[in-house]
């Protein structure tokens, strides 16, 4: 979803949702609001920032605890996207159109949708301020603002997305390019990346790699594909139990995994990707992508 607070640029990888008790204010007299078209109150017992999957889920739970009329969601976007499905869109298993629907249709019934953008948090006074200047106070605040995509931290992006062989599953604007790249693939390197920054879903870069490998097998291209996973991490997964299981899959499917490799530049015109060795800062490796190869990854 569109970031709501300007100061939030790189929160943790998973959806940032925290439930804070700030202040001891009492709710205003009950007043039911069910949509953005009605005048919003200036105080709510529970105020949710963000209308993504995390915010919607928490608003639904809090509705059952304190009553729908005492819960509000602040979200500026008219359209809600279920972003986890984008991995399947990038693999050709789902249509992009299936991931979105009107925000109004996913707001829990009876919960107020305040169509606005938050620009300031004031925890000392238990209130937030919107772009229009409205002050809204709360007893409890839930922050589920999601994450801001900072593609520009990689030299050559986001302008590099204009190249047909570069895609990202983290954006509505670029996820279909991943599927197009898979379809157009003939032979060579297929590189998937995990950045040295927080990301929305830590498993997404691997998911699309495994799905792509399955697609290559299904279409008879696997023998011509050199599948590479360059990750900034030192392990394939943080939990050993699952890391061991993934290592078996990696071995069985003949996938190449390079650890502590962080993508720092994309040279779309030369079809090159530059990676830095995080164990040896300043040491870089250039991976060439000839005309019949492509780069598809998860960039932040």
């Amino acid at each position: 979803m569109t970031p709501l607070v300007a100061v939030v640029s790189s929160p943790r990888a998973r959806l940032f949702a925290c439930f804070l008790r700030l202040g001891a204010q009492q709710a205003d007299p009950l007043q039911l609001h069910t949509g953005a078209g009605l005048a919003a109150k200036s105080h709510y017992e529970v105020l949710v920032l963000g209308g993504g999957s995390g915010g919607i889920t928490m608003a639904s739970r809090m509705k059952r605890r304190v009553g729908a009329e005492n819960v509000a969601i602040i979200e500026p976007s008219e359209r809600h996207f279920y972003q986890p499905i984008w991995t399947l869109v990038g693999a050709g298993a789902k249509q992009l159109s299936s991931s979105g629907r009107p925000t109004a249709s996913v707001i829990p019934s009876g919960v107020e949708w305040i169509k606005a953008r938050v620009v300031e948090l004031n925890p000392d006074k238990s209130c937030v301020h919107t772009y229009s200047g409205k002050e809204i106070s709360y007893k409890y605040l839930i922050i589920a603002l999601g994450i801001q995509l900072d593609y520009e931290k990689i030299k050559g992006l986001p302008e590099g997305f204009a190249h047909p062989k570069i895609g990202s599953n983290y954006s509505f604007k670029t996820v279909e390019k991943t599927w197009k790249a898979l379809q157009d693939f003939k032979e060579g390197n297929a590189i998937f990346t995990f950045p040295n920054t927080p990301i929305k879903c830590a498993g997404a870069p691997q998911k699309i790699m495994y799905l792509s490998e399955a697609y290559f097998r299904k279409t008879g291209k696997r023998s011509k594909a050199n599948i590479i996973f360059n990750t900034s991490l030192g392990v394939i997964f943080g939990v050993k139990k699952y890391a061991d299981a993934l290592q078996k899959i990696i071995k069985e499917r003949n996938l190449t995994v390079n650890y502590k490799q962080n993508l720092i530049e994309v040279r779309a015109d030369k079809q090159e990707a530059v990676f830095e060795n995080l164990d040896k800062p300043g040491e870089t490796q250039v991976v060439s992508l000839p005309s019949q190869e492509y780069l598809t990854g998860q960039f932040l």
Side-chain angles (χ1 to χ4, degrees), residues 259-275:
Y259 298 102
K260 294 289 187 162
Q261 296 295 311
N262 183 46
L263 180 68
I264 60 173
E265 182 179 357
V266 174
R267 301 168 182 170
D269 56 336
K270 297 181 179 180
Q271 299 192 69
E272 293 178 341
V274 183
F275 294 88

PDB file of all heavy atoms in Angstrom, residues 259-275:
ATOM      1  N   TYR A 259      26.159 -16.768  -1.148  1.00  0.00           N
ATOM      2  CA  TYR A 259      25.832 -16.021   0.055  1.00  0.00           C
ATOM      3  C   TYR A 259      26.639 -14.729   0.165  1.00  0.00           C
ATOM      4  O   TYR A 259      27.704 -14.579  -0.439  1.00  0.00           O
ATOM      5  CB  TYR A 259      26.090 -16.890   1.288  1.00  0.00           C
ATOM      6  CG  TYR A 259      25.242 -18.141   1.323  1.00  0.00           C
ATOM      7  CD1 TYR A 259      25.771 -19.372   0.968  1.00  0.00           C
ATOM      8  CD2 TYR A 259      23.907 -18.070   1.697  1.00  0.00           C
ATOM      9  CE1 TYR A 259      24.994 -20.523   0.990  1.00  0.00           C
ATOM     10  CE2 TYR A 259      23.114 -19.210   1.730  1.00  0.00           C
ATOM     11  CZ  TYR A 259      23.660 -20.435   1.365  1.00  0.00           C
ATOM     12  OH  TYR A 259      22.875 -21.570   1.377  1.00  0.00           O
ATOM     13  N   LYS A 260      26.103 -13.800   0.944  1.00  0.00           N
ATOM     14  CA  LYS A 260      26.742 -12.517   1.206  1.00  0.00           C
ATOM     15  C   LYS A 260      27.031 -11.738  -0.078  1.00  0.00           C
ATOM     16  O   LYS A 260      28.029 -11.021  -0.180  1.00  0.00           O
ATOM     17  CB  LYS A 260      28.060 -12.738   1.989  1.00  0.00           C
ATOM     18  CG  LYS A 260      27.845 -13.295   3.388  1.00  0.00           C
ATOM     19  CD  LYS A 260      27.234 -12.244   4.299  1.00  0.00           C
ATOM     20  CE  LYS A 260      27.179 -12.739   5.731  1.00  0.00           C
ATOM     21  NZ  LYS A 260      27.003 -11.636   6.682  1.00  0.00           N
ATOM     22  N   GLN A 261      26.142 -11.887  -1.042  1.00  0.00           N
ATOM     23  CA  GLN A 261      26.256 -11.174  -2.310  1.00  0.00           C
ATOM     24  C   GLN A 261      25.084 -10.200  -2.422  1.00  0.00           C
ATOM     25  O   GLN A 261      23.933 -10.621  -2.475  1.00  0.00           O
ATOM     26  CB  GLN A 261      26.266 -12.149  -3.483  1.00  0.00           C
ATOM     27  CG  GLN A 261      27.456 -13.085  -3.520  1.00  0.00           C
ATOM     28  CD  GLN A 261      28.765 -12.339  -3.733  1.00  0.00           C
ATOM     29  OE1 GLN A 261      28.877 -11.497  -4.634  1.00  0.00           O
ATOM     30  NE2 GLN A 261      29.757 -12.636  -2.908  1.00  0.00           N
ATOM     31  N   ASN A 262      25.387  -8.927  -2.467  1.00  0.00           N
ATOM     32  CA  ASN A 262      24.355  -7.899  -2.487  1.00  0.00           C
ATOM     33  C   ASN A 262      24.360  -7.142  -3.804  1.00  0.00           C
ATOM     34  O   ASN A 262      25.395  -6.613  -4.228  1.00  0.00           O
ATOM     35  CB  ASN A 262      24.577  -6.913  -1.330  1.00  0.00           C
ATOM     36  CG  ASN A 262      23.489  -5.869  -1.255  1.00  0.00           C
ATOM     37  OD1 ASN A 262      22.299  -6.185  -1.345  1.00  0.00           O
ATOM     38  ND2 ASN A 262      23.870  -4.609  -1.081  1.00  0.00           N
ATOM     39  N   LEU A 263      23.220  -7.090  -4.457  1.00  0.00           N
ATOM     40  CA  LEU A 263      23.106  -6.367  -5.730  1.00  0.00           C
ATOM     41  C   LEU A 263      23.223  -4.870  -5.476  1.00  0.00           C
ATOM     42  O   LEU A 263      22.439  -4.298  -4.712  1.00  0.00           O
ATOM     43  CB  LEU A 263      21.763  -6.676  -6.383  1.00  0.00           C
ATOM     44  CG  LEU A 263      21.504  -5.980  -7.728  1.00  0.00           C
ATOM     45  CD1 LEU A 263      22.435  -6.524  -8.798  1.00  0.00           C
ATOM     46  CD2 LEU A 263      20.047  -6.176  -8.147  1.00  0.00           C
ATOM     47  N   ILE A 264      24.197  -4.225  -6.099  1.00  0.00           N
ATOM     48  CA  ILE A 264      24.390  -2.792  -5.898  1.00  0.00           C
ATOM     49  C   ILE A 264      24.202  -1.981  -7.176  1.00  0.00           C
ATOM     50  O   ILE A 264      24.045  -0.761  -7.117  1.00  0.00           O
ATOM     51  CB  ILE A 264      25.783  -2.490  -5.325  1.00  0.00           C
ATOM     52  CG1 ILE A 264      26.886  -2.983  -6.282  1.00  0.00           C
ATOM     53  CG2 ILE A 264      25.942  -3.119  -3.942  1.00  0.00           C
ATOM     54  CD1 ILE A 264      28.286  -2.552  -5.844  1.00  0.00           C
ATOM     55  N   GLU A 265      24.180  -2.660  -8.329  1.00  0.00           N
ATOM     56  CA  GLU A 265      24.017  -1.920  -9.581  1.00  0.00           C
ATOM     57  C   GLU A 265      23.466  -2.828 -10.672  1.00  0.00           C
ATOM     58  O   GLU A 265      23.815  -4.000 -10.757  1.00  0.00           O
ATOM     59  CB  GLU A 265      25.362  -1.338 -10.047  1.00  0.00           C
ATOM     60  CG  GLU A 265      25.260  -0.507 -11.313  1.00  0.00           C
ATOM     61  CD  GLU A 265      26.593   0.091 -11.747  1.00  0.00           C
ATOM     62  OE1 GLU A 265      27.596  -0.105 -11.018  1.00  0.00           O
ATOM     63  OE2 GLU A 265      26.635   0.740 -12.812  1.00  0.00           O
ATOM     64  N   VAL A 266      22.605  -2.247 -11.489  1.00  0.00           N
ATOM     65  CA  VAL A 266      22.088  -2.922 -12.676  1.00  0.00           C
ATOM     66  C   VAL A 266      22.443  -2.065 -13.886  1.00  0.00           C
ATOM     67  O   VAL A 266      22.089  -0.888 -13.939  1.00  0.00           O
ATOM     68  CB  VAL A 266      20.555  -3.102 -12.602  1.00  0.00           C
ATOM     69  CG1 VAL A 266      20.027  -3.666 -13.916  1.00  0.00           C
ATOM     70  CG2 VAL A 266      20.181  -4.030 -11.459  1.00  0.00           C
ATOM     71  N   ARG A 267      23.176  -2.648 -14.820  1.00  0.00           N
ATOM     72  CA  ARG A 267      23.549  -1.946 -16.056  1.00  0.00           C
ATOM     73  C   ARG A 267      22.708  -2.511 -17.186  1.00  0.00           C
ATOM     74  O   ARG A 267      23.116  -3.421 -17.901  1.00  0.00           O
ATOM     75  CB  ARG A 267      25.040  -2.128 -16.338  1.00  0.00           C
ATOM     76  CG  ARG A 267      25.938  -1.608 -15.214  1.00  0.00           C
ATOM     77  CD  ARG A 267      27.384  -2.056 -15.385  1.00  0.00           C
ATOM     78  NE  ARG A 267      28.230  -1.597 -14.287  1.00  0.00           N
ATOM     79  CZ  ARG A 267      29.484  -2.014 -14.097  1.00  0.00           C
ATOM     80  NH1 ARG A 267      30.037  -2.908 -14.936  1.00  0.00           N
ATOM     81  NH2 ARG A 267      30.187  -1.546 -13.083  1.00  0.00           N
ATOM     82  N   ALA A 268      21.517  -1.982 -17.309  1.00  0.00           N
ATOM     83  CA  ALA A 268      20.561  -2.534 -18.257  1.00  0.00           C
ATOM     84  C   ALA A 268      21.075  -2.460 -19.690  1.00  0.00           C
ATOM     85  O   ALA A 268      20.875  -3.391 -20.476  1.00  0.00           O
ATOM     86  CB  ALA A 268      19.235  -1.785 -18.133  1.00  0.00           C
ATOM     87  N   ASP A 269      21.757  -1.371 -20.044  1.00  0.00           N
ATOM     88  CA  ASP A 269      22.236  -1.208 -21.418  1.00  0.00           C
ATOM     89  C   ASP A 269      23.308  -2.234 -21.771  1.00  0.00           C
ATOM     90  O   ASP A 269      23.395  -2.694 -22.918  1.00  0.00           O
ATOM     91  CB  ASP A 269      22.772   0.208 -21.636  1.00  0.00           C
ATOM     92  CG  ASP A 269      23.863   0.582 -20.642  1.00  0.00           C
ATOM     93  OD1 ASP A 269      23.896  -0.004 -19.546  1.00  0.00           O
ATOM     94  OD2 ASP A 269      24.682   1.460 -20.980  1.00  0.00           O
ATOM     95  N   LYS A 270      24.119  -2.627 -20.771  1.00  0.00           N
ATOM     96  CA  LYS A 270      25.169  -3.613 -21.006  1.00  0.00           C
ATOM     97  C   LYS A 270      24.730  -5.018 -20.605  1.00  0.00           C
ATOM     98  O   LYS A 270      25.486  -5.968 -20.782  1.00  0.00           O
ATOM     99  CB  LYS A 270      26.426  -3.238 -20.211  1.00  0.00           C
ATOM    100  CG  LYS A 270      27.062  -1.921 -20.618  1.00  0.00           C
ATOM    101  CD  LYS A 270      28.304  -1.656 -19.777  1.00  0.00           C
ATOM    102  CE  LYS A 270      28.977  -0.356 -20.169  1.00  0.00           C
ATOM    103  NZ  LYS A 270      30.182  -0.081 -19.351  1.00  0.00           N
ATOM    104  N   GLN A 271      23.533  -5.130 -20.045  1.00  0.00           N
ATOM    105  CA  GLN A 271      23.021  -6.397 -19.533  1.00  0.00           C
ATOM    106  C   GLN A 271      24.002  -7.009 -18.535  1.00  0.00           C
ATOM    107  O   GLN A 271      24.441  -8.145 -18.667  1.00  0.00           O
ATOM    108  CB  GLN A 271      22.704  -7.361 -20.680  1.00  0.00           C
ATOM    109  CG  GLN A 271      21.631  -6.820 -21.626  1.00  0.00           C
ATOM    110  CD  GLN A 271      21.106  -7.867 -22.573  1.00  0.00           C
ATOM    111  OE1 GLN A 271      20.420  -8.785 -22.155  1.00  0.00           O
ATOM    112  NE2 GLN A 271      21.422  -7.725 -23.842  1.00  0.00           N
ATOM    113  N   GLU A 272      24.307  -6.209 -17.514  1.00  0.00           N
ATOM    114  CA  GLU A 272      25.215  -6.631 -16.460  1.00  0.00           C
ATOM    115  C   GLU A 272      24.596  -6.324 -15.089  1.00  0.00           C
ATOM    116  O   GLU A 272      23.857  -5.363 -14.928  1.00  0.00           O
ATOM    117  CB  GLU A 272      26.559  -5.898 -16.563  1.00  0.00           C
ATOM    118  CG  GLU A 272      27.366  -6.248 -17.794  1.00  0.00           C
ATOM    119  CD  GLU A 272      28.653  -5.460 -17.882  1.00  0.00           C
ATOM    120  OE1 GLU A 272      28.767  -4.409 -17.212  1.00  0.00           O
ATOM    121  OE2 GLU A 272      29.555  -5.881 -18.616  1.00  0.00           O
ATOM    122  N   ALA A 273      24.944  -7.172 -14.129  1.00  0.00           N
ATOM    123  CA  ALA A 273      24.535  -6.953 -12.746  1.00  0.00           C
ATOM    124  C   ALA A 273      25.795  -6.956 -11.886  1.00  0.00           C
ATOM    125  O   ALA A 273      26.679  -7.796 -12.064  1.00  0.00           O
ATOM    126  CB  ALA A 273      23.583  -8.053 -12.284  1.00  0.00           C
ATOM    127  N   VAL A 274      25.877  -6.000 -10.965  1.00  0.00           N
ATOM    128  CA  VAL A 274      27.060  -5.863 -10.126  1.00  0.00           C
ATOM    129  C   VAL A 274      26.698  -6.214  -8.690  1.00  0.00           C
ATOM    130  O   VAL A 274      25.749  -5.659  -8.119  1.00  0.00           O
ATOM    131  CB  VAL A 274      27.630  -4.430 -10.180  1.00  0.00           C
ATOM    132  CG1 VAL A 274      28.915  -4.346  -9.347  1.00  0.00           C
ATOM    133  CG2 VAL A 274      27.896  -4.022 -11.624  1.00  0.00           C
ATOM    134  N   PHE A 275      27.454  -7.128  -8.097  1.00  0.00           N
ATOM    135  CA  PHE A 275      27.214  -7.567  -6.724  1.00  0.00           C
ATOM    136  C   PHE A 275      28.426  -7.250  -5.854  1.00  0.00           C
ATOM    137  O   PHE A 275      29.572  -7.391  -6.291  1.00  0.00           O
ATOM    138  CB  PHE A 275      26.945  -9.066  -6.670  1.00  0.00           C
ATOM    139  CG  PHE A 275      25.669  -9.474  -7.343  1.00  0.00           C
ATOM    140  CD1 PHE A 275      25.646  -9.762  -8.702  1.00  0.00           C
ATOM    141  CD2 PHE A 275      24.482  -9.561  -6.623  1.00  0.00           C
ATOM    142  CE1 PHE A 275      24.467 -10.134  -9.333  1.00  0.00           C
ATOM    143  CE2 PHE A 275      23.300  -9.926  -7.240  1.00  0.00           C
ATOM    144  CZ  PHE A 275      23.294 -10.213  -8.596  1.00  0.00           C
TER     145      PHE A 275
END
